[in-house]
Amino acid sequence: MTVDVRVSTTVPSQALFLVTHSRAAPSTWRDGARRLLRAPGVCSGLEEAVHSVDLRPGVLALARVHVADAPDRMFTARAEHWMRVARTTWQESAAFCADVAWQARRDGRRLAEDVPHDGGDDMFSARTRLHLRGLALRYDFRRSSLEEVMRSHPGPWDVFSRALFTFALLGQSKPQGLRMMDDVLADAGDDVKVLHTVLHGLWLGEGLPRRHQHMLGILARPPFRGRTDAVALFREAAVLRETRRFGEALAAVDRAMEFLPPGDPGVHDDLVRERALTLLARDAYEMAGGAVPHRRTDEVPVTADPEGSDGAYQGEQSQQRTPGSVT
């Protein structure tokens, strides 16, 4: 298949600055990106620069702003355009679409309904539409609808699309999701978007065999080993609370709060709620005569315990849960 890529011989200096400083203060950087993207001819230069290995991450960061600011009628088409121009891998598409879908949710867009249901004219359009619809449904917790979308898709599926299907099954507590999970994790390696998607499904599921052990195993993988991912720490805290490791659960919540990026009140509210649930569960357990071991509540590593009880504590499993992450 031939993909047309517009080429420009000039990349404005202000664009290069933003591209190479894409990790600067988010609000200041985003304001500069929006001003830049309104300038004539800038996007043509960025479409060339995206094929430079050194500039590619920063250009895609600018492209995310360009998509997030698109009017509703242009949102999906603009995302497809950038994925096609950049000739993205499934990993890049997963990361890009996760960010813009989460921003769309925060902006109140009805993305799941607005993404066209047909497959598009090329593989990039088809994959982008599937990723955007799947992520929108995942972030809205519409697991049954997501399963229907995935079953109706003719394929082929990339690994992240399979992860979204796995999420839909796990989130409905369907055991076949565990079988699919094993294959997805084997093919995905340590792609953080896939790991978060599967972890999210396990977090929602109930009564799945060895659910806690599966979650702790994912949390022990390299992307989460440094314990600096606030959303992963949030999931970790829930597992520890459910297995009555209350001190460690509180430590995980507190650590997540330290690493939570500024300006994300939704995730902060989730952490506050998880902390309250942990304290409530601990007090109820102690009042019932349970002995809670005294543990240090700082820097407690997470390890998968193959001998642990997956059904140790399910008291708050039925509480309303919120997505609370861009992952």
Side-chain angles (χ1 to χ4, degrees):
M1 178 182 60
T2 300
V3 179
D4 294 325
V5 179
R6 294 170 57 196
V7 176
S8 171
T9 57
T10 303
V11 181
S13 58
Q14 63 268 38
L16 286 176
F17 177 82
L18 285 170
V19 164
T20 55
H21 292 75
S22 60
R23 295 185 182 275
S27 59
T28 303
W29 184 88
R30 193 176 301 110
D31 290 342
R34 285 171 171 157
R35 288 194 298 270
L36 172 71
L37 290 164
R38 289 194 292 267
V42 166
C43 285
S44 296
L46 293 174
E47 288 168 8
E48 177 185 12
V50 78
H51 298 288
S52 165
V53 174
D54 293 335
L55 300 180
R56 188 175 181 86
V59 173
L60 289 175
L62 284 172
R64 283 194 288 272
V65 176
H66 194 226
V67 173
D69 287 348
D72 289 347
R73 67 183 184 280
M74 295 175 58
F75 187 95
T76 302
R78 193 172 286 182
E80 291 174 20
H81 171 78
W82 279 108
M83 297 299 91
R84 187 184 309 112
V85 164
R87 300 178 181 177
T88 51
T89 63
W90 69 261
Q91 295 94 330
E92 290 173 324
S93 177
F96 188 98
C97 291
D99 287 347
V100 298
W102 180 251
Q103 185 60 50
R105 185 180 188 276
R106 294 181 66 177
D107 292 342
R109 296 180 190 258
R110 299 180 63 85
L111 190 58
E113 286 74 25
D114 292 341
V115 176
H117 287 207
D118 62 277
D121 298 328
D122 56 73
M123 62 170 284
F124 296 103
S125 294
R127 186 180 65 192
T128 302
R129 292 180 185 187
L130 187 59
H131 284 184
L132 287 176
R133 285 192 74 202
L135 283 158
L137 292 169
R138 175 193 157 199
Y139 291 152
D140 285 344
F141 281 44
R142 294 168 60 185
R143 291 150 283 175
S144 178
S145 295
L146 178 53
E147 181 183 356
E148 290 179 13
V149 166
M150 299 308 298
R151 290 193 184 279
S152 66
H153 191 271
W157 291 356
D158 61 277
V159 179
F160 185 65
S161 297
R162 289 161 51 206
L164 288 168
F165 190 21
T166 301
F167 161 82
L169 297 175
L170 293 173
Q172 297 176 83
S173 306
K174 294 186 176 182
Q176 58 265 44
L178 293 173
R179 295 190 293 273
M180 194 166 187
M181 176 190 74
D182 291 337
D183 292 337
V184 166
L185 292 177
D187 292 341
D190 288 319
D191 181 82
V192 71
K193 294 302 183 185
V194 169
L195 296 183
H196 265 300
T197 301
V198 174
L199 191 62
H200 192 186
L202 287 167
W203 178 73
L204 281 167
E206 299 183 41
L208 293 169
R210 298 178 58 80
R211 169 178 164 270
H212 292 140
Q213 284 67 46
H214 289 307
M215 291 183 70
L216 291 173
I218 292 173
L219 288 163
R221 289 193 173 215
F224 303 138
R225 201 168 289 163
R227 303 183 72 245
T228 59
D229 185 311
V231 175
L233 287 164
F234 170 59
R235 310 286 189 220
E236 174 189 322
V239 178
L240 295 171
R241 167 174 55 80
E242 291 170 7
T243 53
R244 297 174 181 158
R245 294 157 68 178
F246 301 119
E248 295 170 75
L250 292 171
V253 170
D254 292 344
R255 186 172 176 86
M257 289 180 175
E258 291 294 330
F259 285 97
L260 184 66
D264 202 338
V267 182
H268 185 272
D269 290 346
D270 288 344
L271 290 169
V272 170
R273 186 181 305 109
E274 179 58 43
R275 199 174 198 284
L277 285 172
T278 300
L279 291 171
L280 180 64
R282 183 196 64 185
D283 293 348
Y285 185 62
E286 289 178 335
M287 289 179 64
V292 178
H294 295 284
R295 301 176 184 269
R296 287 183 59 190
T297 58
D298 59 339
E299 301 296 327
V300 181
V302 171
T303 56
D305 176 10
E307 300 302 320
S309 171
D310 193 53
Y313 187 79
Q314 297 288 340
E316 276 70 44
Q317 280 286 109
S318 61
Q319 294 287 335
Q320 177 67 34
R321 291 160 168 173
T322 56
S325 84
V326 301
T327 55

